[in-house]
Amino acid sequence: MATQDSRAASAASASPAPGSPPLKAAWSAVFALTLGVFSLVMAEFLPASLLTPMADSLAISEGQAGQAVTATAILAMLTGLLVTAVTQRLDRRHVLLGFSVLMIAANLLVAFAPNLIWLLAGRVLLGIALGGFWALSAATVMRLVPEHDVPRALSLIFTGVPIATISAAALGSYLGDLFGWRNVFLLTTALSVVTLLFQAATLPKMTPERPTPLSTLVKVVQRPGIGVGILAIVLVFCGHFAFFTYVRPFLETVSGMGINGISSTLLAFGVANFVGTLVAGYLLERSLRLTLLSMPLMMGVMGWLLSSLGGIAVGSDALMVALWGFAFGAVPVAWSTWITRVVPDEAESGGGLIVASIQLAIALGAAIGGVVFGVGGVLGVCATAGTLLLAGAALVMVGVRTRAPSSMDACAGAADGH
């Protein structure tokens, strides 16, 4: 644990004055946030790989067990919208540590759940921690590193997502077979404890800069270009999750892959996604607008190519899925950077809007994909996902601002997004 003096020094270097960017990057605190992302996303997606044993153990159907994921998503969306208003007078260090404590409690509740009610209670707590953490992440990064390091810091934080997703799918099912699903959640609890200790040792004090009542969300949406940006976010993430929800049926029925081929392709997707997340920091330092535009454009083109050329060659299908993963790796980083540029004075409220928009897009993407799959099959899903993504790219090109209005630049120091 850091001493009181070293923590005070860290706080002074990370947040010299409310509303001012730090003079020196607090990279240890950024790594602590990255570990938080990994722990939260790992816990979020574990039920997907442990669904059958969880259902059998609790004497419920797999459909009921699947509601564990739904409960988390709904609470994450609501918390993303409400967290800045509810915690407006609290030190951000204490709020973030509180979310890690909630994550520990959530995993323990699931690990010892005797029935569906306790399982859902644990997932509700996780949803609160997940939505709150994501809503505050971009604004927190702005207070931990100088402005020019924000894209790189955000890309580092988001690397926790693909690593956790792969780990939840691969390690979750493997360790579940060896030790049982409850022990997997206990291991995740141990990881959460390590996360809490690391964050307690590295996160500086971050007093709230100004009150942020719930009405702030409405005011942020009403700013020029914000509503268009939120709509673009919904289109892009909706298109991605419409495709990704049905990527396995595509690989099975169109590409004709067996289980080994499917596993290899999904692993390639995950690795490419990780690389894309890392590369995003460098791309964003050069051009925010180009990154926001090119990534969904690439994914949209891949969607239409998979729809029209899918099944011609297994290798080309796998390559296009991997390219999709690479492009999507940069998308969350780019939009988080966007919100720090266009509303630097209300980055927390803006972050909450992004969290809620993404959670809504996940639900819409899965729903739209399901309807299209029933009508036009998996190739129709690819074409629909491609269309949504191209529409999102078009919105970015014609209507999304990548910097704050000039009147705000003077008071908030917003950076040029070009």
Side-chain angles (χ1 to χ4, degrees), residues 5 40 85 123 202 221 228 241 275 278:
D5 291 341
L40 282 165
R123 300 301 293 183
T202 58
V221 172
V228 176
F241 283 100
V275 173
L278 285 178

Side-chain angles (χ1 to χ4, degrees), residues 24 28 56 115 236 295 325 360 403:
K24 183 179 179 182
S28 59
D56 291 342
N115 52 46
V236 170
M295 296 301 112
L360 175 63
R403 59 173 295 167

Side-chain angles (χ1 to χ4, degrees), residues 34-361:
T34 304
L35 185 58
V37 168
F38 175 80
S39 302
L40 282 165
V41 176
M42 181 81 170
E44 180 184 13
F45 290 111
L46 267 181
S49 63
L50 299 169
L51 206 60
T52 301
M54 287 175 66
D56 291 342
S57 174
L58 297 173
I60 58 178
S61 69
E62 291 185 358
Q64 289 175 308
Q67 296 308 308
V69 177
T70 305
T72 302
I74 292 173
L75 265 295
M77 180 177 68
L78 294 176
T79 305
L81 290 173
L82 300 175
V83 63
T84 55
V86 173
T87 66
Q88 58 182 305
R89 301 189 184 281
L90 300 179
D91 188 315
R92 271 30 202 154
R93 165 186 159 85
H94 298 153
V95 175
L96 291 169
L97 293 177
F99 289 142
S100 292
V101 171
L102 278 182
M103 175 171 57
I104 294 170
N107 288 326
L108 285 174
L109 274 178
V110 173
F112 293 105
N115 52 46
L116 179 61
I117 299 299
W118 285 99
L119 172 66
L120 293 179
R123 300 301 293 183
V124 163
L125 290 183
L126 183 67
I128 295 172
L130 187 71
F133 184 92
W134 278 126
L136 299 181
S137 60
T140 302
V141 166
M142 292 175 68
R143 301 181 68 174
L144 294 177
V145 301
E147 186 178 343
H148 62 85
D149 283 328
V150 167
R152 190 173 300 180
L154 285 172
S155 70
L156 177 62
I157 286 175
F158 276 93
T159 58
V161 176
I163 297 175
T165 304
I166 295 171
S167 299
L171 282 178
S173 57
Y174 176 73
L175 294 177
D177 288 339
L178 286 180
F179 306 114
W181 70 269
R182 294 183 186 274
N183 286 322
V184 173
F185 276 97
L186 287 177
L187 289 173
T188 308
T189 303
L191 175 63
S192 302
V193 171
V194 172
T195 298
L196 175 64
L197 294 176
F198 190 20
Q199 290 176 345
T202 58
L203 289 177
K205 291 183 178 180
M206 292 175 283
T207 55
E209 295 178 349
R210 65 180 63 85
T212 51
L214 199 56
S215 59
T216 304
L217 288 172
V218 178
K219 295 177 181 178
V220 169
V221 172
Q222 290 174 341
R223 292 188 184 184
I226 301 301
V228 176
I230 294 297
L231 179 57
I233 290 172
V234 172
L235 287 172
V236 170
F237 280 87
C238 185
H240 168 70
F241 283 100
F243 166 75
F244 192 68
T245 303
Y246 294 92
V247 64
R248 178 162 180 165
F250 174 88
L251 297 175
E252 288 175 335
T253 60
V254 178
S255 302
M257 293 184 186
I259 186 61
N260 290 335
I262 293 172
S263 299
S264 299
T265 301
L266 293 179
L267 178 62
F269 175 95
V271 172
N273 186 250
F274 174 74
V275 173
T277 305
L278 285 178
V279 171
Y282 298 97
L283 295 176
L284 290 165
E285 288 174 354
R286 286 150 182 81
S287 175
L288 172 58
R289 178 175 293 280
L290 182 60
T291 307
L292 288 172
L293 174 63
S294 60
M295 296 301 112
L297 182 62
M298 182 188 300
M299 295 162 67
V301 170
M302 291 301 111
W304 274 100
L305 287 176
L306 287 167
S307 176
S308 56
L309 302 178
I312 293 178
V314 172
S316 64
D317 289 351
L319 176 61
M320 286 189 281
V321 170
L323 287 173
W324 185 300
F326 171 83
F328 184 68
V331 169
V333 188
W335 284 111
S336 293
T337 303
W338 171 76
I339 207 68
T340 67
R341 300 277 179 88
V342 295
V343 284
D345 59 325
E346 295 292 353
E348 288 188 358
S349 295
L353 287 172
I354 286 184
V355 171
S357 301
I358 292 174
Q359 294 298 327
L360 175 63

